[in-house]
Amino acid sequence: MKYFSLNHKAQDVSFKEAVVRGLAPDKGLYFPKYIKALPDYFFQNIETLDNVSIAYEAIKQFVGDEIPESDLKAILKDVLSFDFPVVEVESNISALELYHGPTMAFKDVGARFMARCLGYFNKDKDKKEQVTVLVATSGDTGGAVASGFLGVDGVDVTILYPSGKVSDIQEKQLTTLGQNITALEVDGTFDDCQAMVKQAFLDKAYNGKRTLTSANSINIARWLPQMFYFFFAYKALKSSNKKLIFSVPSGNYGNICAGMMAQKLGLPIHHFIAGTNANNIVPVYLKTGNYNTKPSVQTISNAMDVGAPSNFVRIEELHNNDLEALRSNLSGYSYNDAETTEAINTLYNNNNYIADPHGAIGYLALKQHLAKEKKSHGIFLETAHPIKFLDVMPKNIAIKIKMPSQIEAVLHNKKHSINISNYEQLKSYLLN
Ligand SMILES: *Cc1c(COP(=O)(O)O)cnc(C)c1O
């Protein structure tokens, strides 16, 4: 499969090159040149297939012959070694729980797939040609990337995080693994971390010394595998014979855009909903036609505090850059922190369901939308385990959350981080 840059000023590349580069040289996001729908019999028989077979059918055209079938299936088996339950929350509404992986966030799927692809491509290289994955995190990305890449040959990972601004659990997930994972603790904000990472990607000083790549959802190997669980949810709900509407709590719009790719492959999804916090660029665009990025605002659903969603260009491409086509497939709703907390309380009191702040926004958006589409079945994505957001959960609910074993396991480990406060310190670290 070939990929082109959505800025249209760079050469087409292979799957491998797109994964290793992350971003195209013209700073555009990579996008597949062709998308071929899956045959009808795949959807007719999906209930007879296991998760690995479903994922293989979904991803194989995007990898092409660059990873042989048996290796690709082995990668998928390893990546998908946990459950993706669809839990009924009330009549016509289900939660798709994406938090049963090692770091309890949906990002585990993409991070693990990308790590294993890079590991596959690097397996014959000598030390000097190592790939360095450089990533800035406001919390969840760092943990998923650290865990996903741990021990992968030929790849080392450098994670920048803002000192004192991630939760204790998230910090432990980032800083305790060791081996090929290094955490740089930045005296600054998440925006400072991200600015340093961007500067490193533009700096020619690493040419010939280090191959830097990104592990956020601009990378196709992190973005595309996020299609899988939309197929799994369809399989679970197919027998209801209802129109399916997916509500996705969104920040960088990688997750929802992967759902739209699944739809492009023929998955019968009736409609998408983007739920956002105060960072409401896309809901405003859908309403007014004006797309205005702005500095991010801090909220209790902090993994969605994004003022310039990087994957939105891919969503536009999927809808032929036609606003009306987009409006017929996507609705957007935004909520403030008080509304989010109220939804967490309502879900707990009325439905006996504990949602995290991101999932709660997905639920709110779904409720609002279903008022207009009563005959459909709605699924909101529960994107992280509520234990990761204890400090912003209502106290009476927080005390009911049981400590999952994969979180317990890191809490007692010792933190290792290197303190930095400016780009020169990052550069000297990377060059030594
Ligand atoms: C990353 C993240 C999101 C946002 O996903 P995007 O793909 O960036 O839209 C939502 N919820 C949680 C818990 C996350 O970690």
Side-chain angles (χ1 to χ4, degrees):
M1 170 64 75
K2 289 279 184 203
Y3 291 81
F4 68 97
S5 162
L6 286 173
N7 280 352
H8 303 283
K9 294 195 182 71
Q11 281 184 344
D12 294 350
V13 296
S14 63
F15 173 72
K16 173 182 169 179
E17 265 184 274
V19 175
V20 173
R21 282 180 183 274
L23 208 58
D26 64 357
K27 314 217 168 29
L29 272 67
Y30 283 118
F31 195 85
K33 284 208 83 149
Y34 311 98
I35 302 170
K36 191 163 165 263
L38 298 171
D40 289 345
Y41 65 77
F42 169 76
F43 296 104
Q44 281 153 11
N45 298 314
I46 195 165
E47 56 271 35
T48 66
L49 302 175
D50 61 18
N51 283 357
V52 172
S53 308
I54 293 171
Y56 175 73
E57 291 305 318
I59 200 83
K60 71 176 181 194
Q61 66 176 299
F62 300 105
V63 177
D65 57 8
E66 295 178 56
I67 301 178
E69 176 173 342
S70 58
D71 292 298
L72 185 54
K73 283 190 171 156
I75 288 173
L76 291 170
K77 185 159 184 255
D78 198 22
V79 168
L80 299 171
S81 60
F82 46 88
D83 292 336
F84 300 83
V86 175
V87 177
E88 180 160 293
V89 171
E90 58 191 61
S91 73
N92 286 341
I93 294 189
S94 305
L96 170 57
E97 292 182 350
L98 301 177
Y99 59 66
H100 296 273
T103 74
M104 314 208 88
F106 77 86
K107 294 180 173 82
D108 280 328
V109 174
R112 285 156 68 83
F113 183 77
M114 180 182 164
R116 280 152 190 77
C117 288
L118 270 186
Y120 177 84
F121 292 136
N122 278 304
K123 65 183 174 4
D124 305 322
K125 284 195 172 173
D126 62 36
K127 270 251 175 254
K128 267 187 296 195
E129 289 177 300
Q130 297 255 119
V131 173
T132 298
V133 169
L134 192 59
V135 70
T137 184
S138 59
D140 266 355
T141 300
V145 168
S147 156
F149 282 81
L150 182 67
V152 173
D153 260 356
V155 183
D156 50 50
V157 177
T158 303
I159 300 167
L160 282 74
Y161 75 98
S163 182
K165 296 191 176 63
V166 303
S167 76
D168 289 347
I169 288 175
Q170 288 173 330
E171 184 170 42
K172 289 283 186 177
Q173 288 181 323
L174 291 175
T175 57
T176 60
L177 295 177
Q179 296 185 47
N180 58 332
I181 314 293
T182 306
L184 301 183
E185 183 172 354
V186 176
D187 179 17
T189 62
F190 169 64
D191 290 340
D192 296 328
C193 298
Q194 198 152 36
M196 285 190 218
V197 167
K198 282 199 178 132
Q199 198 173 345
F201 284 127
L202 297 175
D203 195 332
K204 303 243 182 321
Y206 310 103
N207 288 0
K209 298 198 175 102
R210 260 187 199 258
T211 306
L212 296 181
T213 192
S214 131
N216 67 32
S217 55
I218 62 162
N219 196 302
I220 54 162
R222 236 207 75 190
W223 167 53
L224 288 172
Q226 298 176 156
M227 286 188 293
F228 300 157
Y229 33 75
F230 291 89
F231 286 90
F232 304 161
Y234 170 71
K235 174 182 162 180
L237 293 167
K238 185 182 166 190
S239 61
S240 75
N241 277 322
K242 287 207 167 149
K243 287 181 180 163
L244 299 183
I245 296 181
F246 281 91
S247 176
V248 186
S250 294
N252 259 326
Y253 287 75
N255 214 15
I256 195 168
C257 184
M260 290 168 172
M261 282 292 278
Q263 183 188 41
K264 196 87 179 168
L265 294 182
L267 189 69
I269 296 176
H270 177 61
H271 197 72
F272 286 94
I273 299 167
T276 75
N277 55 32
N279 298 282
N280 60 355
I281 289 84
V282 173
V284 169
Y285 174 60
L286 290 168
K287 196 166 174 190
T288 66
N290 297 320
Y291 191 82
N292 295 321
T293 59
K294 47 189 183 187
S296 62
V297 185
Q298 206 178 337
T299 73
I300 60 167
S301 49
N302 63 5
M304 310 199 294
D305 294 350
V306 179
S310 50
N311 281 287
F312 196 67
V313 286
R314 284 179 170 143
I315 292 183
E316 293 199 288
E317 178 72 21
L318 277 167
H319 297 85
N320 303 317
N321 297 296
D322 174 349
L323 179 56
E324 287 318 310
L326 181 60
R327 279 175 171 150
S328 69
N329 195 34
L330 174 68
S331 302
Y333 304 93
S334 73
Y335 302 93
N336 62 30
D337 283 351
E339 291 165 324
T340 308
T341 303
E342 197 184 311
I344 294 173
N345 282 321
T346 306
L347 274 166
Y348 180 68
N349 294 330
N350 297 355
N351 307 81
N352 200 21
Y353 189 81
I354 302 183
D356 92 292
H358 306 79
I361 286 180
Y363 171 79
L364 276 174
L366 188 55
K367 278 293 258 194
Q368 187 166 348
H369 191 85
L370 284 181
K372 295 184 289 195
E373 294 222 34
K374 294 206 169 64
K375 293 218 176 74
S376 302
H377 189 93
I379 302 114
F380 67 97
L381 273 51
E382 234 308 34
T383 45
H385 194 288
I387 193 92
K388 299 183 81 175
F389 301 94
L390 271 190
D391 45 342
V392 295
M393 295 289 288
K395 294 256 166 343
N396 64 313
I397 300 176
I399 55 167
K400 303 277 187 210
I401 306 172
K402 281 202 217 77
M403 177 65 69
S405 57
Q406 54 271 62
I407 302 292
E408 175 94 74
V410 295
L411 284 182
H412 307 293
N413 294 343
K414 199 167 152 24
K415 164 182 163 183
H416 292 282
S417 66
I418 299 172
N419 292 294
I420 65 166
S421 51
N422 56 47
Y423 177 68
E424 287 311 312
Q425 288 173 321
L426 171 63
K427 186 167 176 173
S428 77
Y429 167 76
L430 288 173
L431 289 174
N432 289 318

